[in-house]
Amino acid sequence: MISMLYFVVESMGSFCSRQQPLNEVDSDENIQAAEIDRRIAQETKTEQHIHKLLLLGAGESGKSTIFKQIRLLFQTGFDEAELRSYTSVIHANVYQTIKILYDGAKELAENEPNSLKYVVRTDNKEIGEKLSEIGSRMDSPCLTKEIAKEIATLWNDTAIQETYSHGNILQVPDCAQYFMENLERFSEVNYIPTKEDVLHARVRTTGVVEIQFSPVGESRKSGEVYRLYDVGGQRNERRKWIHLFEGVTSVIFCAAISEYDQMLFEDDTKNRMMETKELFEWVLKQSCFEKSSFMLFLNKFDIFEKKVHRVPLNVCEWFKDYQPMGSGKQEVEHAYEFVKKKFEELYFQNSKPDCVDRAFKIYRTTALDQKLIKKTFKLVDETLRRRNLIEAGLL
Amino acid sequence: MPQFQQQASWRLEGGGQVIDLETAVKDGILGGGEGGGDLPAGKDGSFGASAEKLDLKKMIEELDSAAEEDVPSVFICPISLEPMVDPVTLCTGQTYERVHILKWFSLGHLTCPTTMQELWDDAVTPNQTLHQLIHAWFSQRYLRLKKRSEDVQGRTAELVKSLRKVKGQARVQALKDLQKILAAHPAVKKTVADSGGVALLSSLLGPFTSHAVGSEVIAILVNLSLDSDARANLMQPAKISLMVDMLNEGTIDTKINCTRFIEMLMEEKSFRSEVVTRLSLLVALLRLVKDKRHPNGIVAGLSLLKSICFHEQVRSLIVSIGAVPQLVELLPNLTPECLELALHILDDLSTIAGGCSALKDCAQTIPNAVRLLMRVSEACTQYALSILWAVCKLAPDECAPLAVEAGLAAKLLLVIQSSYSPELKQRAAELLKLCSLNYTTTLFISKCKLTRTIQ
């Protein structure tokens, strides 16, 4: 009906424009104004049915990876052009990684007590210096086979390996191993990144990105539409723009639980977990999220699993009252439950009494695992739909 | 037993219908019952021989417990009012259970009990016809019952097997079907347990279980009897997390199921209090307890809270979520059963410093507690008194006058005069003394009078 009206208005317009007596101009404008109002009303109505999800979290908590996963799962994914565009990113990531490792080894060799194990072999030193220089440039060169071989040699140096295993005090990215293991592939002449590669690639998010999607599957009929927003995780001036997200359906807060022994990129004296804790507290207190559900994604569970055995949780001040229970899988579960309880406590301490009806759920995630994210999102979807029904009084 | 010929027909009084035995039992005057269920017929149409193997007495007993249909009155012995196993007829034409009529004779009576006629012949003739009819009728229903119950067991085993394989909507449907069968035929619980159903259902609960599946599984599990191992398995943190989530989000039935289920798990020896030391669980229970629309939920929630309160370590957590003022404010509207639970919880909470001060800070504590003394039951009075004692002990100058103004003194006198336990009366006397400290004797006595509001 709207389109018909539009047609009528248009044709009227084209008819009238030829011989337009003065008193008819006004009514034309009125009709157009009415049409615009109608359009706005309709769009507002549609907007209300779109569930808005906001991804929040500290830097490198995995928000963007989840964003990419959603794209892969529920949209058409990445086309070839886009995949290609990631080639330079991945190459840059490789250079950055090896630079951090090499520089880190040098630093540890100077400062650590048993420094000898961080000293790189003499014949690798030259490679190391060269790569360190490349990594510091703004534009990195393409990754050739020769350079890839050199990087591989350096990576296999015991000192570098030793540095990697103590990577927590440096800023070694979590996907370092993935990059180093796939060097050969990355350096192929016709290399086009795979989806897996893209998920691992690291680009700092600036500004806001959004996608709109409909979860497919059993809820196809219900036609739920979601819009997911991803914002950069860094500290600067959050409070200025956060209120723009007032009234989102749900806040998805990502916390990388494997970071309890790592320091911030922006400030290497600050423990990352403490930063996450403070950020979560801050978000909970914002009045613009009073009505939003909170989904807490405790991310990087795969890294957490392995780290728990090597590094006790108590190194993080927030977790200092942790008592290990045993070993093996049970210990992992026990540690995870402890972390979960801490976050729960934080949530209830910082939620005002009248927000008690807000939905709050915690999910264990590994953002790089597509199947897991799909399952997790199905649960999120179910929760949000149930919420709707409860609010409408139907449940 | 003589062979029975299917063609035999006879005239019935007042009917004139020509029928045979099978028809009589199946569709005729003796009632056919529901559905099919043919009698097992022998090769020549006689079923006497094979059916005899089913012991009549046993069948009568089992069918009696199933109590589905009324036994036709002609099968009932007039003396015992039970179906006849060995019917014998007297010369008057009346039929009785052999054992009972012989007993009647042995007591010296030579009359027919129903017609009161004197017997001219004391012979008792076994009534073959009636016996055959009784046997046939019971056999048919017995076999039908057996078939149905076997059916049900078969279906249950099938459903459990299918649960191992199906996913998604099919899984939810299978769970719903299983629950329906369990509700209709409780005896099937054993089949579920035998076919590994319990372990299977437990394994369906995990961090990625959808709400739809989880709520059905809990609805089934809560009605099964679980052994120690099963319960220990279900206490895994991930499964408990799922139950807590469902407690938060589910329908009222799901919430009640989860509550009852957790309570059941708490009875297990290997239970550790960390399992329930979860803020989300406690907050969810509090919400359940405050939901006036669902009284069942209130009872279930209070019951679980009481069990949790038993563990001292959790008490401070309960206080920290503001449970005390919320429970105190609920008191006036609770049923007696709920009152006892709520007061018990508050009493437990008063044993820790945080709880006690929370009670003191809540303005409604004293008036509500005083009102409940001697109102509902001895247990309620005991808990209310204990709470008042704790609060007055904590801040006598502040609380004692408030309590006295609310009419505490008169109530305490009633307690002392009551037939309740000596310890309780002793407590009441001590509290009375404590409260009287700030008053002159005459003033205090005037406070002890029952005012209209208390009456």
Side-chain angles (χ1 to χ4, degrees):
Chain A
M1 205 209 81
I2 301 285
S3 52
M4 232 173 68
L5 192 62
Y6 194 62
F7 171 72
V8 167
V9 169
E10 267 211 358
S11 55
M12 264 182 65
S14 58
F15 174 69
C16 293
S17 61
R18 270 174 262 149
Q19 343 127 17
Q20 214 161 42
L22 280 168
N23 55 353
E24 278 187 12
V25 173
D26 279 336
S27 57
D28 238 1
E29 280 181 9
N30 279 342
I31 291 169
Q32 281 200 0
E35 170 61 19
I36 292 174
D37 281 339
R38 215 183 322 261
R39 277 278 184 87
I40 292 177
Q42 188 192 40
E43 271 189 29
T44 319
K45 216 168 137 214
T46 342
E47 278 289 302
Q48 280 167 358
H49 288 296
I50 300 182
H51 302 289
K52 298 184 192 59
L53 310 172
L54 175 62
L55 276 169
L56 286 177
E60 287 183 61
S61 53
K63 301 185 296 302
S64 303
T65 312
I66 293 194
F67 194 80
K68 287 180 209 161
Q69 289 280 22
I70 300 285
R71 279 191 66 181
L72 288 171
L73 284 172
F74 301 120
Q75 290 196 330
T76 47
F78 300 113
D79 60 11
E80 192 175 310
E82 193 158 2
L83 286 173
R84 275 184 194 281
S85 72
Y86 272 92
T87 313
S88 50
V89 174
I90 291 176
H91 288 177
N93 284 165
V94 169
Y95 288 121
Q96 285 154 7
T97 307
I98 194 70
K99 174 187 165 67
I100 292 175
L101 283 169
Y102 180 73
D103 291 351
K106 274 207 297 196
E107 198 186 309
L108 289 175
E110 281 168 33
N111 300 329
E112 285 294 309
N114 32 353
S115 56
L116 281 175
K117 55 181 179 171
Y118 299 115
V119 174
V120 175
R121 275 175 44 192
T122 351
D123 30 344
N124 286 335
K125 276 207 175 130
E126 202 189 304
I127 305 172
E129 292 299 324
K130 178 171 103 171
L131 289 170
S132 179
E133 195 273 314
I134 296 177
S136 60
R137 295 191 219 154
M138 289 298 287
D139 303 309
S140 4
C142 193
L143 190 67
T144 61
K145 281 274 180 200
E146 294 82 36
I147 305 188
K149 268 210 198 72
E150 291 182 334
I151 296 178
T153 323
L154 189 56
W155 166 248
N156 288 321
D157 190 312
T158 40
I160 298 292
Q161 285 295 312
E162 193 67 37
T163 312
Y164 176 62
S165 62
H166 294 274
N168 59 308
I169 46 175
L170 310 164
Q171 296 292 336
V172 181
D174 292 316
C175 36
Q177 179 127 9
Y178 181 83
F179 287 139
M180 293 298 129
E181 279 170 1
N182 287 285
L183 279 172
E184 229 185 276
R185 205 165 41 85
F186 292 165
S187 57
E188 297 281 343
V189 173
N190 297 320
Y191 167 63
I192 302 179
T194 61
K195 281 195 302 207
E196 193 75 25
D197 297 340
V198 167
L199 284 173
H200 280 89
R202 295 181 55 244
V203 184
R204 184 144 286 117
T205 318
T206 51
V208 182
V209 268
E210 71 174 70
I211 48 168
Q212 186 157 314
F213 63 97
S214 242
V216 292
E218 279 157 54
S219 58
R220 204 193 285 253
K221 295 173 237 149
S222 64
E224 303 289 325
V225 179
Y226 290 110
R227 200 181 286 161
L228 185 64
Y229 297 95
D230 183 15
V231 301
Q234 271 62 38
R235 282 165 147 188
N236 30 359
E237 306 294 43
R238 235 171 249 134
R239 59 187 174 81
K240 287 195 180 163
W241 47 259
I242 197 77
H243 67 93
L244 293 173
F245 293 102
E246 173 148 16
V248 290
T249 313
S250 174
V251 171
I252 301 184
F253 192 91
C254 294
I257 49 175
S258 60
E259 295 185 324
Y260 58 91
D261 65 340
Q262 288 172 280
M263 301 298 153
L264 279 186
F265 173 75
E266 304 99 308
D267 173 2
D268 63 4
T269 59
K270 188 79 189 279
N271 180 288
R272 284 193 187 196
M273 191 52 85
M274 298 308 289
E275 170 81 1
T276 299
K277 170 174 184 273
E278 282 168 22
L279 179 58
F280 193 45
E281 272 175 313
W282 182 86
V283 171
L284 286 171
K285 293 199 181 117
Q286 296 308 306
S287 54
C288 54
F289 297 135
E290 253 166 36
K291 305 255 173 53
S292 317
S293 329
F294 268 77
M295 310 282 161
L296 178 61
F297 280 19
L298 294 180
N299 200 18
K300 303 206 185 177
F301 183 74
D302 53 341
I303 305 179
F304 179 79
E305 254 185 323
K306 297 190 202 111
K307 200 180 260 194
V308 158
H309 297 299
R310 284 187 303 123
V311 184
L313 279 183
N314 332 64
V315 302
C316 174
E317 199 193 311
W318 191 21
F319 301 152
K320 63 176 185 259
D321 52 338
Y322 175 66
Q323 309 226 315
M325 193 187 74
S327 60
K329 205 149 182 270
Q330 276 209 352
E331 177 62 25
V332 172
E333 287 297 324
H334 186 241
Y336 175 72
E337 283 301 313
F338 178 82
V339 171
K340 210 171 131 176
K341 266 197 199 158
K342 284 285 179 185
F343 274 97
E344 241 179 43
E345 250 172 45
L346 202 59
Y347 174 79
F348 285 109
Q349 277 165 5
N350 289 298
S351 304
K352 291 186 276 206
D354 45 345
C355 295
V356 146
D357 275 338
R358 205 159 56 169
F360 173 62
K361 283 185 82 161
I362 303 184
Y363 300 91
R364 165 201 311 204
T365 55
T366 299
L368 290 167
D369 183 339
Q370 187 161 56
K371 271 209 198 124
L372 224 63
I373 294 294
K374 186 167 184 186
K375 275 196 224 181
T376 308
F377 197 77
K378 258 175 91 170
L379 293 178
V380 170
D381 182 39
E382 191 186 25
T383 305
L384 290 174
R385 277 187 291 130
R386 286 187 68 82
R387 239 340 59 204
N388 267 343
L389 292 173
I390 291 173
E391 272 166 26
L394 293 169
L395 254 186
Chain B
M1 279 312 281
Q3 289 288 42
F4 186 86
Q5 272 125 8
Q6 213 158 8
Q7 266 55 35
S9 57
W10 63 93
R11 285 208 181 265
L12 292 165
E13 280 180 84
Q17 274 183 311
V18 174
I19 50 173
D20 59 55
L21 179 59
E22 196 172 327
T23 323
V25 171
K26 225 169 100 181
D27 314 310
I29 51 157
L30 294 173
E34 313 106 4
D38 296 301
L39 297 168
K43 276 182 287 223
D44 52 356
S46 74
F47 42 80
S50 57
E52 230 63 77
K53 294 207 187 86
L54 298 165
D55 180 31
L56 181 58
K57 244 190 149 178
K58 180 166 154 266
M59 287 195 284
I60 293 176
E61 266 171 38
E62 275 194 47
L63 278 166
D64 192 43
S65 59
E68 276 171 12
E69 249 182 294
D70 285 332
V71 182
S73 51
V74 296
F75 292 170
I76 307 283
C77 167
I79 301 177
S80 65
L81 298 177
E82 296 281 305
M84 293 185 269
V85 174
D86 187 5
V88 296
T89 314
L90 300 184
C91 58
T92 54
Q94 304 298 323
T95 312
Y96 306 89
E97 178 71 60
R98 181 193 292 269
V99 169
H100 299 310
I101 192 66
L102 289 181
K103 181 123 192 265
W104 175 253
F105 289 165
S106 75
L107 291 172
H109 309 285
L110 265 177
T111 51
C112 170
T114 46
T115 60
M116 310 295 258
Q117 286 171 285
E118 276 215 31
L119 296 173
W120 52 92
D121 177 2
D122 63 358
V124 291
T125 320
N127 192 332
Q128 306 287 21
T129 314
L130 193 59
H131 180 94
Q132 292 280 15
L133 274 171
I134 294 176
H135 201 281
W137 192 92
F138 276 97
S139 301
Q140 189 194 51
R141 275 139 188 89
Y142 183 75
L143 287 166
R144 206 190 293 154
L145 180 71
K146 282 289 156 205
K147 186 157 172 272
R148 255 214 314 265
S149 79
E150 263 162 27
D151 252 359
V152 159
Q153 282 179 1
R155 274 203 68 205
T156 312
E158 250 179 54
L159 272 173
V160 173
K161 219 168 39 160
S162 74
L163 272 174
R164 287 183 209 278
K165 295 184 241 144
V166 297
K167 297 209 174 181
Q169 255 324 97
R171 185 180 276 181
V172 180
Q173 193 52 46
L175 286 166
K176 284 198 169 126
D177 290 338
L178 186 58
Q179 208 211 338
K180 253 191 264 175
I181 293 189
L182 271 168
H185 305 271
V188 146
K189 286 184 207 176
K190 193 165 173 302
T191 323
V192 172
D194 289 341
S195 44
V198 173
L200 174 63
L201 289 167
S202 294
S203 69
L204 289 177
L205 298 174
F208 294 105
T209 309
S210 68
H211 185 103
V213 168
S215 53
E216 295 296 329
V217 170
I218 285 289
I220 297 173
L221 282 176
V222 82
N223 290 317
L224 296 178
S225 50
L226 304 170
D227 63 12
S228 239
D229 285 334
R231 290 190 199 188
N233 181 24
L234 285 158
M235 283 199 255
Q236 283 172 35
K239 299 190 201 276
I240 300 278
S241 291
L242 179 65
M243 285 182 232
V244 174
D245 279 340
M246 292 198 283
L247 238 181
N248 265 307
E249 301 185 327
T251 60
I252 185 67
D253 287 326
T254 306
K255 288 187 192 181
I256 294 179
N257 283 339
C258 290
T259 312
R260 281 175 48 210
F261 194 71
I262 297 180
E263 202 170 350
M264 192 224 337
L265 286 180
M266 285 183 80
E267 291 164 15
E268 183 59 28
K269 259 193 309 212
S270 60
F271 176 79
R272 285 175 8 250
S273 63
E274 286 91 63
V275 172
V276 289
T277 318
R278 292 162 178 262
L279 278 169
S280 41
L281 171 61
L282 300 171
V283 168
L285 281 176
L286 212 52
R287 205 182 304 147
L288 184 60
V289 158
K290 290 196 298 185
D291 185 356
K292 299 206 166 76
R293 297 171 297 168
H294 300 115
N296 290 346
I298 302 181
V299 165
L302 283 173
S303 181
L304 180 54
L305 262 177
K306 178 183 130 192
S307 304
I308 294 180
C309 256
F310 176 72
H311 297 269
E312 294 168 21
Q313 311 91 314
V314 197
R315 287 180 196 172
S316 50
L317 209 60
I318 300 180
V319 171
S320 72
I321 57 170
V324 170
Q326 292 180 45
L327 285 171
V328 170
E329 269 154 42
L330 275 179
L331 288 173
N333 300 321
L334 293 176
T335 65
E337 183 190 359
C338 294
L339 266 174
E340 225 177 275
L341 291 167
L343 286 170
H344 190 136
I345 295 171
L346 286 170
D347 185 30
D348 276 343
L349 292 178
S350 71
T351 60
I352 60 167
C356 207
S357 52
L359 281 165
K360 173 181 83 81
D361 293 334
C362 176
Q364 294 300 311
T365 307
I366 296 180
N368 283 350
V370 171
R371 197 177 316 130
L372 287 169
L373 287 172
M374 298 298 288
R375 195 72 178 273
V376 180
S377 67
E378 181 171 352
C380 283
T381 302
Q382 181 193 329
Y383 297 134
L385 185 60
S386 178
I387 292 170
L388 287 165
W389 176 252
V391 167
C392 289
K393 250 312 175 75
L394 177 68
D397 298 327
E398 192 187 323
C399 298
L402 283 173
V404 174
E405 290 307 312
L408 176 62
K411 285 285 183 105
L412 288 176
L413 284 175
L414 285 176
V415 174
I416 295 171
Q417 290 159 23
S418 73
S419 54
Y420 287 164
S421 78
E423 296 86 27
L424 188 55
K425 294 201 258 199
Q426 175 73 6
R427 257 294 182 78
E430 286 169 9
L431 185 56
L432 192 60
K433 190 151 168 233
L434 179 65
C435 292
S436 68
L437 286 176
N438 286 343
Y439 293 84
T440 65
T441 329
T442 33
L443 192 57
F444 193 65
I445 291 178
S446 74
K447 300 282 177 201
C448 289
K449 295 224 175 66
L450 283 171
T451 64
R452 240 181 299 135
T453 45
I454 302 173
Q455 268 166 338

